[in-house]
């Protein structure tokens, strides 16, 4: 009987996917198909949750099959990330787009990422204080205790890595290993390697133009093929979002969400304020924030549902270049650095809120100006070091809490609502990367304003 019900759910998913395909044939816009997939996934997933519950055999079996579409789509995106970064950045050198401004571009991208993370930390502190969040009131269950045991084993790694060691982790000793994504810092290492190859190309161009021209043609050909693959994968976005969000809606622990509702609300208030900060920065640069929201929503929606900044990278780059008028090189720099440095949601808002929540437990006044200033500085600096210890909100929180001599157990106590909050954090991370790319491109004169002003998303 359960097997039959699983097949019924699979049939419903296939029917919904056919509906999205029919919309595509009717030339319904990409954005509308993405949001239709999102809405259908929420409704379908919640119905499964209401009928069967989170741990029921039918739910587990159905989600296992749904993952072929959802997780399969994310894996396809992750598959193309490293080749896309490498070819795009080397191609920017062959097209002479980065040579004059590479130092300025790197400084602006990293500066904007770290600066917005510091502001995000201040917003997180304000939200935690405003909602009166107190970590002492949280209680640990079996899952939370198990998570804390894991964290205790990992925190030593965090504490024992100095800032110079974290910086050294960014330099590749084996670039071919990093092209496989084997290390936590592989993305930044590939950017570093691609930049060195690009500089090598410039040296060859001065001494042996014929060989340099041949190399440039190879890179241009590879770039064309890679971008075609990216386009083919991105066309699957509505189907991927449908399956991913159906899984989230079907398996979420709604009781735990209600119990920790204040923390969830406070987190999303902070994340929304950070997003508004991004829009204000664009406004100060005399760019229409409405265009940014309208054309960036498909990418931000996927980041929200998938909870993977790395998997979103092809869409992040496509949005910057095709929809916002950012040059290829800057889009890749901003997108790639944004995966590991200065993540506004994971490395800014989240650890700052946790620090405020546990400070009273060790006799620290969270309203103390010295504590707040110290916390903001630690968050900003630690957000650069997250890449060296694996990245993500958990490690960002571990670093900040360890440096501030605060208890780390609170990280494990929030495991039940982690997926829900992580959706918003990931979207904000991607928004921060795109904002830094747009502002850097405008500051360096490599910005196509007419592309940004176009009202509609470029179809893939």
């Amino acid at each position: 009987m359960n097997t039959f019900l699983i097949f019924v759910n699979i049939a419903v998913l296939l029917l919904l996917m056919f509906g999205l395909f029919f919309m595509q044939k009717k030339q319904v816009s990409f954005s509308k198909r993405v949001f239709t997939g999102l809405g259908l996934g929420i409704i379908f997933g919640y119905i499964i949750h209401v009928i069967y519950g989170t741990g029921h055999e039918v739910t587990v079996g159905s989600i296992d099959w749904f993952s072929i579409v959802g997780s399969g789509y994310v894996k396809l995106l992750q598959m193309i990330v490293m080749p896309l970064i490498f070819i795009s950045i080397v191609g920017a050198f062959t097209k002479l787009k980065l040579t004059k401004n590479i130092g300025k571009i790197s400084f602006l991208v990293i500066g904007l990422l770290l600066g917005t993370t510091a502001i995000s930390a201040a917003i997180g502190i304000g939200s935690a204080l405003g909602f009166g969040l107190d970590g002492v009131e949280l209680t640990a269950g079996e899952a939370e205790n198990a998570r804390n045991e894991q964290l205790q084993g990992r925190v030593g790694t965090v504490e024992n890595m100095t800032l110079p060691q974290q910086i050294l982790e960014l330099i590749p000793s084996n670039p071919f290993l990093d092209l496989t994504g084997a290390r936590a810092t592989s993305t930044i290492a590939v950017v570093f390697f691609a930049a060195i190859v690009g500089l090598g190309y410039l040296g060859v161009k001065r001494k042996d133009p014929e060989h340099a021209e041949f190399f440039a043609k190879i890179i241009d050909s590879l770039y064309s093929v890679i971008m075609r693959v990216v386009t083919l994968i991105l066309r699957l976005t509505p189907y991927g979002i449908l399956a991913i969000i159906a899984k989230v809606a079907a398996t979420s622990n709604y009781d735990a969400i209600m119990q920790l509702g204040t923390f969830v609300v406070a987190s999303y208030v902070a994340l929304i304020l950070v997003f508004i900060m991004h829009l204000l920065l664009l406004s100060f640069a005399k760019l229409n924030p409405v265009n940014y929201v309208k054309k960036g929503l498909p990418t931000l929606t996927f980041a929200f549902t998938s909870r993977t900044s790395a998997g979103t990278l092809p869409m992040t780059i496509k949005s910057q270049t095709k929809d916002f008028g950012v040059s290829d090189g800057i889009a890749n720099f901003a997108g790639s650095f944004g995966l590991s440095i200065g993540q506004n949601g994971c490395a800014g808002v989240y650890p700052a809120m946790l620090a405020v929540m546990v400070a009273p437990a060790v006799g620290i006044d969270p309203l103390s100006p010295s504590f707040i200033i110290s916390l903001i500085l630690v968050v900003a600096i630690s957000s650069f070091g997250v890449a060296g210890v694996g990245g993500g909100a958990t490690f960002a929180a571990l670093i900040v809490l360890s440096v501030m001599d605060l208890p780390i157990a609170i990280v494990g106590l929030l495991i039940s609502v982690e997926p829900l909050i992580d959706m918003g954090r990931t979207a904000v991370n991607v928004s921060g990367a795109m904002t830094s790319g747009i502002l850097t491109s405008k500051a360096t004169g490599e910005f196509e304003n007419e592309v940004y002003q176009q009202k509609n998303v470029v179809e893939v």
Side-chain angles (χ1 to χ4, degrees), residues 316-387:
T316 304
I317 294 171
K318 178 267 175 186
S319 291
Q320 290 184 82
T321 55
K322 303 297 184 183
D323 299 318
F324 298 138
V326 178
S327 69
D328 289 336
I330 293 176
N332 275 277
F333 264 74
S336 303
F337 279 119
L339 296 182
S340 304
I341 295 174
Q343 294 185 337
N344 291 180
C346 289
V349 170
Y350 187 64
M353 291 184 68
L354 297 193
V356 169
M357 291 171 65
V358 298
V362 291
I364 296 176
D365 180 8
L367 292 171
S368 167
S370 60
F371 171 77
I372 292 174
I373 293 172
S374 299
L375 179 57
I376 292 173
L377 290 175
V378 168
V379 167
I381 295 172
S382 298
S383 72
F384 189 93
V386 167

Side-chain angles (χ1 to χ4, degrees), residues 291-302:
N291 281 3
Y292 174 80
V293 174
K294 183 177 180 180
K295 296 199 288 184
L297 267 180
T299 297
L300 296 176
T301 299
F302 176 72

Side-chain angles (χ1 to χ4, degrees), residues 91-145:
F93 279 90
T94 62
K95 296 170 186 174
L96 298 177
K97 289 185 177 179
L98 285 181
T99 53
K100 295 180 181 178
N101 292 323
I102 187 168
K104 184 178 181 181
I105 288 169
S106 301
F107 177 79
L108 284 173
V109 167
I110 294 174
L112 283 166
L113 288 170
L114 294 180
T116 52
T117 298
I119 298 172
S120 300
I123 291 172
I125 292 170
S127 182
L129 292 173
F131 279 86
L133 299 180
D134 188 353
V136 177
E137 296 178 356
L138 299 179
T139 56
E142 185 176 339
E144 287 77 10
N145 287 328

Side-chain angles (χ1 to χ4, degrees), residues 13 47 59 66 94 118 145 169 172 189 206 220 227 359 378 426:
L13 180 70
I47 290 173
T59 302
F66 292 179
T94 62
N145 287 328
E169 284 291 308
R206 286 192 296 269
D220 285 346
M227 290 310 297
V378 168
T426 306

